[in-house]
Amino acid sequence: MKPVETYELKVKFPENISYSSYEHFKDKLLSFGVSSYVEGVQDNIDKDQSLTTLDNSEIVHDFDKKIFPLSIYSYDQSEIDRIDFEIRKNFKDLITTEKVTLTTESWTEGWKDYFKPIETSSFYIYPPWESKVKGIKKHLIVMDPGFAFGTGQHSTTQLCLSHIEQYFELNKPSDQHRALDLGCGSGILAISLAKLGYNNIEALDIDADAVLAAEKNAKENHVSYLVEKGSSSELLE
């Protein structure tokens, strides 16, 4: 059987590009029909194997108005070709693009080398292949994102976990609490809330793969919450 291929469009920016121009480019991607992309993948900013505790000030500083290369992924080569054409047509030679063909198995499995356990004040988050979890006196969260976003490695996820822990210290769970994990990805934030004892949790994502991952991870962690495919605009209707 021929391996499934994934197509990547790498986008690099000139050193003298302004932050406002960088933000303008990302806005234009939306008009090109690009709903998701990965920032900084070539700089490995999401791969910090030594980060085991949270320091919000450092995390915020690292991401404050920085310009990172982007990568756009698709299983459809013609879609990558179309996006590349739009970028070149609208930005001429100001932005460099490179198309790469990947074997899906290689990049969906390769990230596992960088998924190390994460420990916060309340949680120990680890991948299914990690065996050293006995004796840890924290809420254990086993996390397999599949094709979805959310291992706990990303700084934005860690900031959210930190705020959840802070909220828990001031607001113990009750029937009056309701929670929404919007753009849930793997469901890691919904799981953390459930582990702390909160009920009435809903997880929402526009990506069907994320919905499947969030449902699977809920079962693996022996918690329950409502998972649905949808967007924030639908909540406001």
Side-chain angles (χ1 to χ4, degrees):
M1 181 181 295
K2 182 180 179 181
V4 177
E5 292 181 332
T6 298
Y7 303 96
E8 176 185 11
L9 181 63
K10 297 182 178 182
V11 182
K12 295 183 180 180
F13 304 93
E15 293 183 359
N16 61 347
I17 189 174
S18 66
Y19 186 74
S20 60
S21 297
Y22 175 63
E23 289 294 293
H24 170 68
F25 173 81
K26 291 194 290 184
D27 288 340
K28 288 293 289 184
L29 284 182
L30 291 174
S31 70
F32 299 158
V34 179
S35 59
S36 63
Y37 50 81
V38 179
E39 289 185 79
V41 65
Q42 296 162 15
D43 283 348
N44 294 330
I45 62 169
D46 287 343
K47 301 173 183 177
D48 186 354
Q49 299 182 42
S50 64
L51 183 60
T52 57
T53 57
L54 301 183
D55 185 332
N56 293 357
S57 61
E58 290 185 6
I59 292 172
V60 173
H61 174 74
D62 286 344
F63 280 82
D64 185 30
K65 292 191 175 182
K66 294 292 182 66
I67 296 172
F68 303 113
L70 305 177
S71 281
I72 301 164
Y73 298 94
S74 177
Y75 295 123
D76 186 348
Q77 185 176 19
S78 63
E79 179 67 3
I80 288 294
D81 290 340
R82 183 191 67 79
I83 297 168
D84 184 45
F85 174 79
E86 291 290 350
I87 292 174
R88 292 175 180 274
K89 181 178 73 173
N90 285 270
F91 294 93
K92 306 299 181 184
D93 298 326
L94 298 176
I95 293 174
T96 303
T97 61
E98 177 187 358
K99 289 184 285 188
V100 179
T101 301
L102 304 168
T103 300
T104 300
E105 182 180 359
S106 66
W107 78 269
T108 56
E109 295 295 317
W111 65 271
K112 292 182 178 180
D113 293 337
Y114 301 97
F115 185 2
K116 306 299 180 182
I118 289 290
E119 189 170 4
T120 74
S121 61
S122 302
F123 305 107
Y124 187 83
I125 304 163
Y126 65 98
W129 53 89
E130 175 67 30
S131 59
K132 300 177 182 179
V133 296
K134 292 184 178 180
I136 296 174
K137 297 180 179 179
K138 294 188 177 184
H139 294 291
L140 299 178
I141 299 179
V142 58
M143 188 55 53
D144 185 352
F147 285 100
F149 174 88
T151 61
Q153 304 283 324
H154 198 281
S155 299
T156 55
T157 306
Q158 294 181 13
L159 284 171
C160 289
L161 287 170
S162 177
H163 285 299
I164 287 172
E165 291 170 332
Q166 293 171 25
Y167 185 84
F168 174 73
E169 290 300 317
L170 299 173
N171 304 273
K172 299 307 179 185
S174 73
D175 292 338
Q176 296 179 344
H177 288 108
R178 298 183 63 191
L180 172 64
D181 186 355
L182 182 60
C184 64
S186 63
I188 185 171
L189 298 180
I191 291 169
S192 68
L193 287 162
K195 288 281 186 177
L196 291 174
Y198 292 101
N199 297 309
N200 301 319
I201 303 167
E202 182 174 358
L204 195 68
D205 205 294
I206 61 173
D207 185 353
D209 287 329
V211 172
L212 292 174
E215 290 176 340
K216 177 184 177 183
N217 284 318
K219 293 178 181 178
E220 291 294 327
N221 285 279
H222 308 291
V223 299
S224 62
Y225 46 77
L226 177 64
V227 186
E228 293 185 316
K229 184 175 184 296
S231 66
S232 58
S233 60
E234 294 171 351
L235 295 175
L236 300 174
E237 292 177 354

